[in-house]
Amino acid sequence: MQFSPCLNEIAVRDGAIAKAGSGPGLLRGAHRDRVADHVAGGGALGVVMLEIHDFSLLRRLFRPEVALAVADAMAVAVEQAVARRLAAHAVALAEVVEPGRVLVLVGGWDEDADALDRVAAVLRLEVRGGLREEALRLTGQALEIRGGAAAVIVGDPIALDMALAAALSEAARLAAGGEGGSAPAIREFREILELGRVRAVYQPIVNLRGGDVFAWEALARGPLKSPLESPAMLFDVAEEAGAVFALEKLCREAAIKGFSRRGQGARLFCNVHPRTLLDPQFTPGETRRLLDKYGMEPRDVVLEITERHSVKDFNLFHRTLAHYRDAGYGVAVDDVGTGYSGLFSIAEIKPDFMKIDMSLVRGVDANPVKRALLETMLTFSDKIGCRIVAEGIETEAELACCIRLGVHFGQGYFLGRPECPAVPPREEVRLTIIRCASQVADGFKCSSPINDLAERTHQIPPYASVGEVKQFFDGNESVHAVAVVREGRPEGLIMSHHLDRVLSTPYGLALYLRRDVTRIMDPSPLAVEWDTPVEVAAQAAMARDREKLYDPILVTCRGRLAGMVSVRRILDALACVQVEMAKGANPLTGLPGNVAIEREIARRAEAGRPTSFVYADLDNFKVFNDVYGFQDGDKAILMTARILGEALAAQGAPDDFLGHVGGDDFVILCDAASVEPVCRAALAAFAAASPALFTAEDRERGYIEGQGRDGRVGRFPLLTVSMGVIDCAFAVPVTMDELGLRAAAVKKYAKSNPGNTFVRDRRAPLGLPEIGGGDAFCAGGTPGAA
């Protein structure tokens, strides 16, 4: 919708309406005829004035171009609100009266007393929501939008201009005084609270390893086709009415009530406004009473704290949050990447889940900066022990990119829309996730279906007592897990050690022995379809909560239980193919291994293609691995593989080659002209990234203490990388022994230099006659750098 020029003679000064110029009327031409016909036909006509509160102060506080940009953003927000909300009205015209003040002419609203006020309230809320993000970006604060509405009282179309001017004056007075635009919305909101007219819809949060639903986020909605159906508008009005806590309490009950009926066995993410936890009416036991009422446990619920609202009393907030954690609830931080406190609030909250805002996820497949940010958040989450949920996934390309980066869980319209009843992702989406996850395995494949490993499952019905299960385990010591099954479909899993732990607590026997097993079972065990590849099932198993890492996997066929697979059996199956896999690809990095490296060298030699051979090796890696452990050692190797790959992609040719010999040794094959830029880029990136592998104390000291290869304890420098470069002409045949001997010599010389260094052999390229003279090696890099 374009802004109408029909009111371009109206100016608003100091709250009063005056006619600009000396034209014969306020409306002209086709617009006046249209409005006059509407009035002559008995149609109601009204005006709504919308303005940014204290816009004159905003102009004084900020540069003129900033204030004008805010005003322009407000005009766009009005245009969009009119298009959305007034499309069905006979007259819907918008006009920028002056910067920060917009007039809307409305015809066709119902003639009851509050109808026009409701239109004004809806437009005001829509504009405030539409302007919020741009206002925060430009000024760092949310802006208040005020509104006023007045009916145009006209009996004769001839007097239309005078009646319109009077209505404009009244609407402007109400808007300037803050007296209009909120009362009708607050009245409707109070009615929603009193009658409990809030409903919940559920959007799936999907495991990006196996495609199963990990959790459901409950989202609040107002009454259907009501102006307050939108959750944003609903909570905006709640803040104005000072009833956020009352609304959240109603939303939480609707969410838990609707979720308990589904029996899906997944977690429930519930949004919590941070200020709710600080509300004087807040009572920590309220949520637990709701869960007991609907047959749920705290472990089933994740409290989702949004970053879009500031928290002033952090001490009280964290004490309250600690109470919830102690009770067994999970904690998630929403909208990561936007909001008030950013990484500081995450560090303070220490969440179990971080939900990355859709603004960072949208288009991540085509935006290298967003990918880098997401990679950084994944590294950060790994260090603080939480998991990432990518919100707003809307395309298959975004999904595939998130999977490649290693994101744990995904949410968005491509995976599933918010619905009630909840609808899981389509089968083709699940298969897409499995396919992408399989590709990420990068060569380390065990693509046989998981059903090939399935064993017979011990089953019990959900009405069996805990005492009966205990008796079964006592009589079958080799059995450690039983599935709870109803009509052939798995509903839960009971592990013997978990059962023993529950019964050994004070009063555990008295509380649970005669109760049915649903009280103590895991209601969300990992279940995969029979044709899921083994390596995908293994990835899904490793993505579980720590306490469930070694629980068996249930295998289903179209939802019906077909068998059970232990984690040990999966690891045995993967170990059986590991030797063969290592020949073609390294299982840790997924890079080509020894056989592939030799094949690539032979291919280049056969083609007579001059090539630079780079041998890269980490210095003092054994000591680092001993001191920090194998897990951090693997991180160092993976980081090195990533850095070498990125340097080769940025500085090399498309068909250059990166291989992983094993351990901390890598090989690069590239053109002679690009080898030095590749090496320098890799050394610079490693020097910047490697300090993060160490503790702050070790970084400050500049060394670690450990045992060297000779068995002696001493001080060793921090990790560095050494790179030896050999040029190969391949004009005459070159044996792998010749290449290996020269590579070892060059690498040894490189490692004798301190810091991150590369050394290039200055002797004649392999495959050409020796040309003597000059030094044997030419060194470069960042000597002495850690």
Side-chain angles (χ1 to χ4, degrees):
M1 169 181 287
Q2 299 295 321
F3 286 113
S4 168
C6 64
L7 302 179
N8 58 6
E9 292 186 40
I10 299 172
V12 182
R13 297 185 184 88
D14 301 323
I17 301 294
K19 190 193 303 183
S22 56
L26 297 179
L27 293 174
R28 291 184 178 183
H31 290 290
R32 191 186 194 290
D33 293 341
R34 177 181 166 191
V35 172
D37 289 344
H38 174 74
V39 171
L45 188 66
V47 293
V48 176
M49 179 67 75
L50 298 168
E51 65 177 29
I52 298 174
H53 180 52
D54 281 341
F55 185 74
S56 58
L57 177 62
L58 189 74
R59 275 179 149 165
R60 292 197 297 272
L61 292 176
F62 295 92
R63 299 191 310 272
E65 59 267 27
V66 172
L68 288 175
V70 171
D72 289 343
M74 185 238 186
V76 171
V78 173
E79 178 184 5
Q80 293 171 345
V82 168
R84 276 194 301 267
R85 295 293 180 176
L86 305 183
H89 287 66
V91 176
L93 305 173
E95 171 73 7
V96 176
V97 178
E98 65 179 17
R101 188 175 280 186
V102 181
L103 186 67
V104 180
L105 190 64
V106 186
W109 45 277
D110 298 332
E111 293 192 38
D112 64 273
D114 290 335
L116 186 59
D117 285 339
R118 282 199 296 272
V119 171
V122 169
L123 291 177
R124 187 181 68 85
L125 291 170
E126 285 265 4
V127 171
R128 187 172 72 171
L131 181 62
R132 180 183 289 117
E133 186 174 336
E134 189 67 4
L136 284 171
R137 187 183 71 82
L138 291 168
T139 69
Q141 59 188 340
L143 300 178
E144 181 183 349
I145 300 296
R146 290 190 172 183
V152 179
I153 309 299
V154 55
D156 186 345
I158 297 175
L160 177 60
D161 294 317
M162 187 177 297
L164 181 58
L168 289 173
S169 180
E170 175 64 9
R173 184 187 68 78
L174 293 172
E179 302 173 39
S182 60
I186 291 177
R187 282 198 300 272
E188 184 171 352
F189 171 75
R190 294 291 183 194
E191 181 181 322
I192 289 172
L193 279 187
E194 291 169 10
L195 300 179
R197 296 177 63 199
V198 171
R199 56 199 175 89
V201 294
Y202 302 91
Q203 186 172 29
I205 297 173
V206 180
N207 186 330
L208 297 188
R209 301 295 191 277
D212 55 306
V213 175
F214 169 74
W216 300 87
E217 181 179 357
L219 301 166
R221 297 289 187 269
L224 281 170
K225 298 183 179 179
S226 159
L228 300 186
E229 180 179 0
S230 158
M233 296 183 69
L234 190 63
F235 276 89
D236 278 350
V237 177
E239 285 206 52
E240 288 190 352
V244 171
F245 175 71
L247 176 60
E248 276 216 347
K249 183 178 176 182
L250 185 62
C251 292
R252 199 173 303 130
E253 179 161 12
I256 292 172
K257 180 180 179 181
F259 186 78
S260 65
R261 289 199 300 264
R262 295 183 308 100
Q264 291 281 347
R267 288 185 174 187
L268 175 67
F269 276 58
C270 283
N271 289 281
V272 177
H273 195 304
R275 295 174 197 160
T276 297
L277 303 182
L278 308 179
D279 194 288
Q281 303 177 55
F282 173 74
T283 51
E286 187 69 32
T287 303
R288 183 56 196 256
R289 283 192 288 273
L290 280 175
L291 295 178
D292 289 341
K293 178 179 178 181
Y294 295 107
M296 292 175 62
E297 296 290 334
R299 69 186 180 202
D300 300 328
V301 176
V302 176
L303 302 177
E304 190 171 313
I305 313 293
T306 178
E307 265 201 291
R308 291 188 187 276
H309 302 277
S310 60
V311 177
K312 294 182 173 62
D313 190 345
F314 261 108
N315 289 330
L316 176 58
F317 174 73
H318 289 305
R319 286 200 302 273
T320 309
L321 206 56
H323 165 83
Y324 272 107
R325 272 213 173 90
D326 292 342
Y329 297 89
V331 175
V333 174
D334 193 17
D335 302 320
V336 173
T338 63
Y340 284 86
S341 302
L343 295 178
F344 171 75
S345 66
I346 296 172
E348 291 293 311
I349 293 172
K350 300 180 181 68
D352 302 297
F353 303 92
M354 287 195 301
K355 301 190 74 178
I356 306 300
D357 187 72
M358 66 174 64
S359 62
L360 292 181
V361 176
R362 196 71 49 76
V364 67
D365 54 299
N367 189 320
V369 175
K370 289 185 177 182
R371 286 200 300 276
L373 285 171
L374 194 49
E375 281 184 297
T376 301
M377 297 307 298
L378 283 161
T379 303
F380 176 64
S381 72
D382 184 51
K383 289 185 179 296
I384 66 173
C386 80
R387 285 173 288 173
I388 293 289
V389 181
E391 296 187 290
I393 296 176
E394 294 195 351
T395 68
E396 184 172 340
E398 291 168 356
L399 172 64
C401 183
C402 288
I403 294 173
R404 284 197 303 272
L405 292 174
V407 175
H408 307 101
F409 306 106
Q411 183 178 359
Y413 282 177
F414 184 78
L415 299 170
R417 291 177 174 269
E419 310 240 11
C420 189
V423 178
R426 306 182 311 278
E427 180 65 13
E428 56 265 32
V429 171
R430 191 185 72 84
L431 293 175
T432 296
I433 293 173
I434 291 175
R435 185 184 71 250
C436 292
S438 299
Q439 292 170 353
V440 169
D442 236 352
F444 186 44
K445 304 289 186 191
C446 183
S447 297
S448 57
I450 189 70
N451 193 57
D452 289 353
L453 305 179
E455 300 176 299
R456 186 173 66 88
T457 311
H458 297 280
Q459 303 179 17
I460 56 171
Y463 52 77
S465 70
V466 172
E468 289 173 327
V469 179
K470 173 64 175 170
Q471 188 176 2
F472 172 79
F473 279 134
D474 289 344
N476 298 271
E477 294 185 359
S478 62
V479 179
H480 303 290
V482 294
V484 181
V485 180
R486 186 194 301 271
E487 297 179 357
R489 296 181 179 274
E491 289 196 351
L493 183 71
I494 299 177
M495 300 297 296
S496 59
H497 66 270
H498 174 67
L499 175 63
D500 291 338
R501 187 168 62 247
V502 170
L503 295 181
S504 64
T505 58
Y507 312 110
L509 286 169
L511 285 173
Y512 293 107
L513 203 61
R514 289 186 172 82
R515 293 211 168 187
D516 63 64
V517 293
T518 58
R519 300 293 295 180
I520 64 162
M521 71 179 186
D522 172 10
S524 56
L526 176 59
V528 298
E529 274 290 285
W530 67 273
D531 56 350
T532 302
V534 171
E535 77 276 2
V536 174
Q539 290 168 358
M542 293 301 104
R544 294 181 293 185
D545 293 338
R546 293 180 182 88
E547 65 271 15
K548 296 165 65 172
L549 274 179
Y550 298 103
D551 289 1
I553 300 172
L554 302 181
V555 180
T556 59
C557 181
R558 296 184 180 179
R560 301 181 69 84
L561 188 63
M564 181 185 293
V565 180
S566 67
V567 172
R568 178 177 178 178
R569 192 168 173 84
I570 289 179
L571 294 177
D572 287 345
L574 295 175
C576 287
V577 299
Q578 187 168 2
V579 174
E580 291 302 317
M581 290 294 99
K583 293 179 181 177
N586 185 280
L588 175 61
T589 61
L591 292 173
N594 292 328
V595 171
I597 293 171
E598 292 181 12
R599 188 182 299 121
E600 178 65 14
I601 293 172
R603 185 181 69 82
R604 289 173 175 249
E606 185 178 351
R609 176 179 174 181
T611 298
S612 288
F613 179 98
V614 183
Y615 202 128
D617 180 25
L618 296 180
D619 307 315
N620 304 311
F621 178 74
K622 178 189 178 299
V623 180
F624 175 84
N625 207 41
D626 290 345
V627 172
Y628 280 83
F630 290 109
Q631 185 175 5
D632 282 353
D634 286 349
K635 287 181 183 177
I637 291 172
L638 287 167
M639 183 191 76
T640 305
R642 176 179 60 80
I643 286 172
L644 294 175
E646 289 176 353
L648 199 60
Q651 303 293 336
D655 63 340
D656 286 345
F657 180 89
L658 173 62
H660 189 175
V661 177
D664 58 316
D665 295 338
F666 296 86
V667 164
I668 291 175
L669 298 174
C670 63
D671 293 337
S674 60
V675 67
E676 291 196 13
V678 168
C679 291
R680 294 187 190 280
L683 294 180
F686 191 89
S690 59
L693 297 168
F694 297 87
T695 63
E697 182 181 2
D698 285 343
R699 285 198 300 271
E700 186 174 348
R701 292 188 310 185
Y703 64 84
I704 56 176
E705 295 181 344
Q707 188 177 64
R709 295 186 184 277
D710 57 3
R712 281 187 270 181
V713 175
R715 294 177 177 179
F716 295 86
L718 304 186
L719 279 182
T720 53
V721 62
S722 294
M723 305 175 75
V725 181
I726 303 160
D727 293 314
C728 303
F730 295 130
V732 297
V734 176
T735 67
M736 293 304 297
D737 287 341
E738 289 178 301
L739 184 58
L741 286 172
R742 188 176 285 200
V746 177
K747 188 183 77 167
K748 182 179 180 180
Y749 182 79
K751 291 177 78 67
S752 69
N753 292 286
N756 298 292
T757 310
F758 79 90
V759 168
R760 190 168 191 175
D761 189 355
R762 295 183 62 182
R763 291 172 289 184
L766 279 174
L768 282 181
E770 293 281 349
I771 303 177
D775 297 331
F777 307 115
C778 174
T782 55

